[in-house]
Every structure is written in C-alpha cells, then in structure tokens.
Amino acid sequence: MFIIRTIKDRRISLFFLVFVIITGITFISCENSEGEGGTASISGTLTEHFYNDDFSALIDTAPAIDEEVFITYGEDGTVGDRVLTSYSGQFRFDFLYPGKYTIYYRSDDSTSAVENDWSAYHEVKLERGEELNLGELVKVTALDYNDGAAVIKGVVKKINYLNSSVWPNLIVDYTDFAFEHEVYLTYGDHDFYDKRVRTQHNGYFEFSGLIPGEYLVFLYSEDVTRLKKHVVIKHEVTITEPGQVVDLGEITIEEF
C-alpha cells in the first residue's frame, strides 16, 4: 500500500508541476505587448510655426490642420497607425496596451542649413489604462519669400530728355509711363535678387504673395550726368503683416 500511495503521490506531484508550467506559459503568452487592444490612449495638439527660409524670423503660428501623425509600437520601427489632426490640430491614438510608444510627424529642421524634411520624435511609456496627453507639439515649416499674401506695388514713369541737351541744362522731350521696364525684388540678406518683373503699359508693377520681412525693390535709370551708364533707384520696404499692401507710388526714371 505504501508503494502504491507513493506512486500516486508522485503522479499528483508531476501533474501539479506540469499544470504550473503550462499555466505559466499560458500566462506569459497572454501578456500583451505594445499595440492596439488595450484601454490606454495618447493624445496631443500639433501647432505649426512658420519661419522664413533661414529661420531668423517667426512669421506666424496656427493649428496644424490635416497633418499626419504616426505611432510605432515598442521597438518596432514600422508605422503602427496613422491619424490626421483636426481643425484645431488635435490628434489621438486609442485602445493601446501598456508599453513604449513613439509618436512622430514631419517637420522642417531649423538647426540645419540644408533644406530637407525630417521627423520630430516623441518617445513615451504608457501604463495600463493611462490617458496620456502630450500637450502642444510644434511642427516647424520654412517659408519661401513668396509663400505669403502681402503685396508691394508701384508705377514707373519715365522722363525723356532731348539727346542734344547736356547736364545740368537738360531739356525735357516728353514724359510717359515706362513700359516693360525691369523692376527687381530682393528678400532679406539674399545675395541675388529673388524676382524680376516688367512694368505694364501704364507703368504698373507688382510683387505679390510675399511673407513679412525686409525687402529691397530696385530698378535702373540712365545716368543723365553721363558719368556712368546707369544709376540704381532703391526702395527699402518692411512688411509686418501677412496681408499688407505697400504702395511705393510713382517712381521716376530718366532717359535720353
């Protein structure tokens, strides 16, 4: 009887051991890794900061609307999910398990002189059932000089002198609007002009779609003293508002 009982005890012990092992394996396998199916969430608000091309001036800020925000699960570098921001820049990822997540979105790099897109990354760790709000996140966007809504305009008039007249005793032949005369625009500290337009039949010219900042408008006139071929007529303009209209009025050039 003792031997039979010992064998039974051993069988029970072995069964119990197998049960513990299987239960442990089942418990481990049922432990959820990062991803969807849980009760936690990650949310935030994406705000877009608009700068000029060298990031020296903040032009405007606004909610980032319909911008893509991505999430990756754990150490997996592939995209787990993607959402679009609302009209107010808000986004949210729901039904997440506890663990590590990375939130990222496209943004320009204000620390680099090279123009290229990069991604802003935010690594977070979620607890079970946690509703994590990342608050305001910033998307940086660099604007070209002509990505705005401001305008610089004017009219060029031309005084024509008799070719036989000599400085300083110049004789006016006629005065008219300058047609197809070239007018140049330079933004900020750029080494070369950014845009060139020609005046219309009524002398009118316009540079539109400009962002706030410092501009130089210039054009050439004949040197009526005949000491050199041309003189440069310059107008420095500061645009302070996104939709500002600057009228330079009449600009007079002279020719023989």
Side-chain angles (χ1 to χ4, degrees), residues 93-124:
F93 295 97
D94 284 312
F95 311 117
L96 301 176
Y97 283 119
K100 295 179 180 180
Y101 294 87
T102 300
I103 304 295
Y104 70 96
Y105 49 88
R106 295 185 180 91
S107 178
D108 288 334
D109 187 359
S110 60
T111 64
S112 174
V114 181
E115 293 185 6
N116 61 338
D117 286 341
W118 70 297
S119 296
Y121 291 89
H122 298 270
E123 297 181 352
V124 299

Coordinates of all heavy atoms in Angstrom, one line a residue, residues 93-124:
F93 N -4.6 58.6 -30.3 CA -4.5 57.2 -30.6 C -5.1 56.5 -29.4 O -4.7 56.6 -28.2 CB -3.0 56.8 -30.7 CG -2.3 57.4 -31.9 CD1 -1.5 58.5 -31.7 CD2 -2.4 56.8 -33.1 CE1 -0.9 59.1 -32.8 CE2 -1.8 57.3 -34.2 CZ -1.0 58.5 -34.1
D94 N -6.2 55.7 -29.6 CA -6.9 55.0 -28.6 C -6.6 53.5 -28.5 O -5.9 52.9 -29.4 CB -8.4 55.2 -28.8 CG -8.9 56.5 -28.4 OD1 -8.5 57.0 -27.3 OD2 -9.6 57.2 -29.2
F95 N -7.1 52.8 -27.5 CA -7.1 51.4 -27.3 C -5.7 50.8 -27.4 O -5.4 49.9 -28.1 CB -8.0 50.7 -28.4 CG -9.3 51.3 -28.5 CD1 -9.7 52.0 -29.6 CD2 -10.2 51.3 -27.4 CE1 -11.0 52.6 -29.7 CE2 -11.4 51.9 -27.5 CZ -11.8 52.5 -28.7
L96 N -4.8 51.4 -26.6 CA -3.4 50.9 -26.6 C -3.1 50.1 -25.3 O -3.6 50.4 -24.2 CB -2.4 52.1 -26.6 CG -2.6 53.0 -27.8 CD1 -1.7 54.3 -27.7 CD2 -2.3 52.3 -29.1
Y97 N -2.2 49.1 -25.5 CA -1.7 48.3 -24.3 C -0.6 49.1 -23.6 O 0.0 50.0 -24.2 CB -1.2 47.0 -24.8 CG -2.2 46.0 -25.1 CD1 -2.4 45.4 -26.4 CD2 -3.1 45.5 -24.1 CE1 -3.3 44.5 -26.7 CE2 -4.1 44.6 -24.4 CZ -4.2 44.1 -25.7 OH -5.2 43.2 -25.9
P98 N -0.3 48.8 -22.4 CA 0.9 49.4 -21.7 C 2.2 49.1 -22.5 O 2.3 48.1 -23.1 CB 0.9 48.7 -20.3 CG -0.5 48.2 -20.1 CD -1.0 47.8 -21.5
G99 N 3.1 50.0 -22.4 CA 4.4 49.8 -23.0 C 5.0 51.1 -23.6 O 4.5 52.2 -23.3
K100 N 6.0 50.9 -24.4 CA 6.7 52.0 -25.0 C 6.1 52.3 -26.4 O 5.9 51.4 -27.2 CB 8.2 51.7 -25.1 CG 8.9 51.6 -23.8 CD 10.4 51.3 -23.9 CE 11.1 51.1 -22.6 NZ 12.5 50.8 -22.8
Y101 N 6.0 53.6 -26.7 CA 5.5 54.1 -28.0 C 6.3 55.3 -28.5 O 6.9 56.0 -27.7 CB 4.0 54.4 -27.9 CG 3.1 53.3 -27.6 CD1 2.9 52.9 -26.3 CD2 2.5 52.6 -28.6 CE1 2.0 51.8 -26.0 CE2 1.7 51.5 -28.3 CZ 1.4 51.1 -27.0 OH 0.6 50.1 -26.7
T102 N 6.3 55.5 -29.8 CA 6.9 56.6 -30.4 C 5.9 57.3 -31.2 O 5.3 56.7 -32.1 CB 8.2 56.3 -31.2 OG1 9.1 55.6 -30.4 CG2 8.8 57.5 -31.8
I103 N 5.7 58.6 -31.0 CA 4.9 59.5 -31.8 C 5.8 60.4 -32.6 O 6.7 61.0 -32.1 CB 4.0 60.4 -30.9 CG1 3.2 59.5 -29.9 CG2 3.1 61.3 -31.7 CD1 2.2 58.6 -30.6
Y104 N 5.5 60.5 -33.9 CA 6.3 61.4 -34.7 C 5.5 62.0 -35.9 O 4.4 61.5 -36.2 CB 7.6 60.6 -35.3 CG 7.3 59.6 -36.3 CD1 7.5 59.9 -37.7 CD2 7.0 58.3 -35.9 CE1 7.3 58.9 -38.6 CE2 6.8 57.3 -36.9 CZ 6.9 57.6 -38.2 OH 6.7 56.6 -39.2
Y105 N 6.0 63.0 -36.5 CA 5.4 63.8 -37.5 C 6.5 64.5 -38.3 O 7.6 64.7 -37.8 CB 4.3 64.8 -37.0 CG 4.8 65.6 -35.9 CD1 5.5 66.8 -36.1 CD2 4.7 65.2 -34.6 CE1 6.0 67.6 -35.1 CE2 5.2 66.0 -33.5 CZ 5.8 67.2 -33.8 OH 6.3 68.0 -32.8
R106 N 6.1 64.9 -39.5 CA 7.1 65.6 -40.4 C 7.3 67.0 -40.0 O 6.3 67.7 -39.7 CB 6.7 65.5 -41.9 CG 6.7 64.0 -42.4 CD 6.4 64.0 -43.9 NE 6.4 62.6 -44.4 CZ 5.3 61.8 -44.4 NH1 4.2 62.3 -44.0 NH2 5.4 60.6 -44.9
S107 N 8.5 67.5 -40.1 CA 8.8 68.9 -39.7 C 10.1 69.3 -40.4 O 10.9 68.5 -40.7 CB 8.9 69.0 -38.2 OG 9.3 70.3 -37.8
D108 N 10.2 70.6 -40.6 CA 11.5 71.1 -41.1 C 12.5 71.2 -40.0 O 12.1 71.3 -38.8 CB 11.3 72.5 -41.8 CG 10.6 72.4 -43.1 OD1 10.6 71.4 -43.7 OD2 9.9 73.4 -43.5
D109 N 13.8 71.2 -40.4 CA 14.9 71.2 -39.4 C 15.4 72.6 -39.3 O 16.2 73.1 -40.2 CB 15.9 70.2 -39.8 CG 17.0 70.1 -38.7 OD1 16.9 70.8 -37.7 OD2 17.9 69.3 -38.9
S110 N 15.1 73.3 -38.2 CA 15.6 74.7 -38.0 C 17.1 74.7 -37.6 O 17.7 75.8 -37.6 CB 14.8 75.4 -36.9 OG 14.9 74.7 -35.7
T111 N 17.7 73.6 -37.3 CA 19.1 73.6 -36.9 C 20.0 73.3 -38.0 O 21.2 73.3 -37.9 CB 19.3 72.5 -35.8 OG1 19.0 71.2 -36.4 CG2 18.4 72.7 -34.6
S112 N 19.5 73.0 -39.2 CA 20.3 72.6 -40.4 C 20.2 73.7 -41.5 O 19.1 74.2 -41.7 CB 19.9 71.3 -40.9 OG 20.6 71.0 -42.1
A113 N 21.3 73.9 -42.2 CA 21.3 74.8 -43.3 C 20.8 74.1 -44.6 O 20.5 74.8 -45.6 CB 22.7 75.4 -43.5
V114 N 20.7 72.8 -44.5 CA 20.3 72.0 -45.7 C 18.8 71.9 -45.6 O 18.2 71.6 -44.6 CB 20.9 70.6 -45.6 CG1 20.4 69.8 -46.8 CG2 22.4 70.7 -45.6
E115 N 18.1 72.2 -46.8 CA 16.7 72.2 -46.8 C 16.2 70.7 -47.1 O 16.3 70.2 -48.1 CB 16.2 73.0 -48.0 CG 16.4 74.5 -47.7 CD 15.8 75.4 -48.8 OE1 15.1 74.8 -49.7 OE2 16.0 76.6 -48.8
N116 N 15.7 70.1 -46.0 CA 15.1 68.7 -46.2 C 14.2 68.5 -45.0 O 14.2 69.1 -44.0 CB 16.2 67.7 -46.1 CG 17.0 67.7 -44.9 OD1 17.0 68.7 -44.1 ND2 17.7 66.6 -44.6
D117 N 13.2 67.6 -45.3 CA 12.2 67.2 -44.3 C 12.9 66.3 -43.3 O 13.7 65.5 -43.6 CB 11.0 66.6 -44.9 CG 10.1 67.6 -45.7 OD1 10.3 68.8 -45.4 OD2 9.4 67.1 -46.5
W118 N 12.5 66.4 -42.0 CA 12.9 65.4 -41.0 C 11.7 65.2 -40.2 O 10.6 65.7 -40.4 CB 14.1 66.0 -40.2 CG 13.7 67.1 -39.3 CD1 13.3 68.3 -39.7 CD2 13.8 67.1 -37.9 NE1 13.1 69.1 -38.6 CE2 13.4 68.4 -37.5 CE3 14.2 66.2 -36.9 CZ2 13.3 68.8 -36.1 CZ3 14.1 66.5 -35.6 CH2 13.7 67.8 -35.2
S119 N 11.8 64.3 -39.2 CA 10.7 64.0 -38.3 C 11.0 64.3 -36.9 O 12.1 64.1 -36.4 CB 10.4 62.5 -38.5 OG 10.0 62.2 -39.8
A120 N 10.0 64.8 -36.2 CA 10.1 65.1 -34.8 C 9.6 63.9 -34.0 O 8.4 63.5 -34.2 CB 9.3 66.4 -34.5
Y121 N 10.4 63.4 -33.2 CA 10.0 62.1 -32.4 C 9.8 62.4 -31.0 O 10.4 63.2 -30.3 CB 11.2 61.1 -32.5 CG 11.4 60.6 -33.9 CD1 12.2 61.2 -34.8 CD2 10.7 59.4 -34.3 CE1 12.4 60.7 -36.1 CE2 10.9 58.9 -35.6 CZ 11.7 59.5 -36.5 OH 11.9 59.0 -37.7
H122 N 8.8 61.7 -30.4 CA 8.4 61.8 -29.0 C 8.2 60.4 -28.5 O 7.2 59.8 -28.8 CB 7.2 62.7 -28.8 CG 7.3 64.1 -29.3 ND1 7.8 65.1 -28.4 CD2 7.1 64.7 -30.5 CE1 7.9 66.3 -29.1 NE2 7.5 66.0 -30.4
E123 N 9.1 59.9 -27.7 CA 9.1 58.6 -27.1 C 8.3 58.7 -25.7 O 8.7 59.5 -24.9 CB 10.4 58.0 -26.9 CG 11.2 57.8 -28.3 CD 12.5 57.2 -28.1 OE1 13.0 57.1 -26.9 OE2 13.2 56.8 -29.1
V124 N 7.4 57.8 -25.5 CA 6.6 57.8 -24.3 C 6.4 56.4 -23.8 O 6.7 55.4 -24.5 CB 5.2 58.4 -24.5 CG1 5.3 59.9 -25.0 CG2 4.4 57.6 -25.5

